[in-house]
C-alpha cells in the first residue's frame, strides 16, 4: 500500500506527492536536482556571547517515545529532547517493526544533541533505503526545532499542519556550549542534502538565522509559501 493510500486510510488530508520514497536525498542528488552545490551558503561570523558550558547528556530528560499502530501504519511519536537515550529507543523501535511496515514519525522537540540527532537521521535514511516508507509530521501547537528539523527532513513525505512551528539556528557544541563555524556549516550542508531549498537557506542566512545571534522561526504554512521544501504536504 502506498503512503498516500495509508495517510488517507488514517484520515490525513494530503496534497500531490512530488517524489518517490526511494529517492533518498544525498549531497550528490541534491546537487544534480537543483544545479546548486550542497555548500551554497557563506556564513559570516558574528561576535556572540558564548553560552555556559553545556551539561552532560545525562542532565537532560530523554524525549518520550510512544508507538501507535493504525491499521497498516505505525505512528512513532517523539516528544521532548533528542538525547543519546532517546536515540537508542527510537532506533530500536524502528528496527523492531516488521520489515517494510510504513511508519509515520510525529515530532514535537526543541532539538538536542547533534551526534544523537545525526544518528537518528541516518537510521531513518537507512530504513527508507531498505524499502520501508517513513514519513514525518508536525501538528498544530507543536514545534520542531534545531536538530529536530534535520530529523523531520529525513522522512518523506513531510506533513505539517499550518500552525506547526519550525526553528533553525547555529548549533552549539555539547562539550563546551560554544558555536563553531565548522559545526554550523556542516549542519547547513546536511539540511540542503536532505532537501531544504538552497534559496531558502540563503534567506535564513541573510536574516542572521545561522549567525548564532538569533533563532529563526517560521510556521508550516509560511514555509510552504516561501518554497523552503521543508514541508512537502501542508495538512488542511
Amino acid at each position: 500500500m502506498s503512503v498516500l493510500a495509508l495517510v488517507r486510510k488514517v484520515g490525513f488530508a494530503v496534497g500531490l506527492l512530488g517524489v518517490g520514497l526511494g529517492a533518498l536525498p544525498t549531497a550528490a542528488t541534491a546537487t544534480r536536482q537543483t544545479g546548486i552545490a550542497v555548500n551554497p551558503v557563506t556564513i559570516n561570523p558574528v561576535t556572540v556571547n558564548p553560552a555556559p558550558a553545556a551539561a552532560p547528556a545525562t542532565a537532560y530528560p530523554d524525549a518520550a517515545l510512544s508507538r501507535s499502530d493504525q491499521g497498516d501504519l505505525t505512528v512513532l511519536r517523539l516528544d521532548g529532547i533528542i538525547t543519546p537515550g532517546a536515540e537508542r529507543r527510537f532506533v530500536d523501535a524502528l528496527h523492531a517493526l516488521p520489515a517494510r511496515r510504513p511508519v509515520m514519525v510525529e515530532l514535537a522537540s526543541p532539538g538536542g544533541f547533534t551526534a544523537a540527532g545525526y544518528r537518528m537521521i541516518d537510521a531513518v535514511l537507512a530504513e527508507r533505503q531498505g524499502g520501508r516508507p517513513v514519513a514525518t509530521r508536525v501538528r498544530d501547537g507543536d514545534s520542531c526545532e534545531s536538530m529536530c528539523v534535520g530529523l523531520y527532513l529525513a522522512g518523506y513525505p513531510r506533513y505539517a499542519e499550518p500552525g506547526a512551528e519550525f526553528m533553525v539556528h547555529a548549533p552549539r557544541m555539547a562539550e563546551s556550549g560554544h558555536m563553531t563555524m565548522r559545526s554550523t556549516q556542516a549542519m547547513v550542508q546536511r539540511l540542503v542534502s536532505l532537501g531544504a531549498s538552497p534559496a531558502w537557506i540563503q534567506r535564513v542566512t541573510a536574516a542572521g538565522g545561522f549567525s548564532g545571534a538569533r533563532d529563526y522561526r517560521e510556521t508550516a504554512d509560511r514555509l510552504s509559501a516561501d518554497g523552503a521544501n521543508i514541508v512537502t504536504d501542508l495538512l488542511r
Side-chain angles (χ1 to χ4, degrees):
M1 182 181 293
S2 70
V3 171
L4 180 58
L6 285 169
V7 294
R8 283 176 175 157
K9 182 174 181 178
V10 297
F12 304 144
V14 299
L16 201 57
L17 305 188
V19 243
L21 279 167
L24 298 187
T26 64
T29 57
T31 301
R32 288 196 297 270
Q33 291 167 2
T34 64
I36 301 173
V38 171
N39 185 15
V41 178
T42 299
I43 301 173
N44 297 318
V46 298
T47 301
V48 296
N49 294 323
T58 53
Y60 295 94
D62 298 337
L65 181 68
S66 61
R67 170 179 169 173
S68 173
D69 292 326
Q70 302 177 14
D72 295 329
L73 176 73
T74 291
V75 177
L76 292 178
R77 179 176 171 87
L78 190 78
D79 199 333
I81 300 172
I82 294 171
T83 62
E87 171 227 329
R88 286 191 294 272
R89 285 199 290 275
F90 177 79
V91 173
D92 287 348
L94 279 177
H95 291 168
L97 294 171
R100 296 178 182 260
R101 180 177 175 85
V103 177
M104 176 74 74
V105 178
E106 189 170 280
L107 297 166
S109 172
F113 288 81
T114 304
Y118 283 157
R119 288 192 293 268
M120 292 168 78
I121 290 169
D122 289 342
V124 169
L125 295 179
E127 291 291 312
R128 291 179 57 201
Q129 185 67 59
R132 184 191 303 284
V134 184
T136 48
R137 179 177 64 187
V138 181
R139 290 188 176 276
D140 273 340
D142 289 338
S143 61
C144 182
E145 305 179 1
S146 190
M147 181 50 62
C148 176
V149 176
L151 181 56
Y152 176 79
L153 281 166
Y156 195 91
R158 301 187 288 270
Y159 302 103
E161 294 177 356
E165 189 173 74
F166 294 80
M167 185 275 281
V168 294
H169 63 178
R172 293 187 180 274
M173 304 301 291
E175 297 81 3
S176 65
H178 297 170
M179 85 168 249
T180 69
M181 296 304 297
R182 178 177 296 178
S183 62
T184 301
Q185 194 70 261
M187 183 201 68
V188 169
Q189 291 174 358
R190 194 70 191 266
L191 292 177
V192 174
S193 75
L194 289 165
S197 161
W200 180 79
I201 291 288
Q202 290 282 9
R203 291 197 294 274
V204 175
T205 302
F210 298 117
S211 67
R214 65 169 294 197
D215 296 338
Y216 187 92
R217 299 177 183 275
E218 284 196 50
T219 54
D221 55 356
R222 186 63 194 171
L223 285 169
S224 293
D226 285 349
N229 201 39
I230 305 294
V231 177
T232 63
D233 292 82
L234 191 64
L235 302 175
R236 302 292 185 180

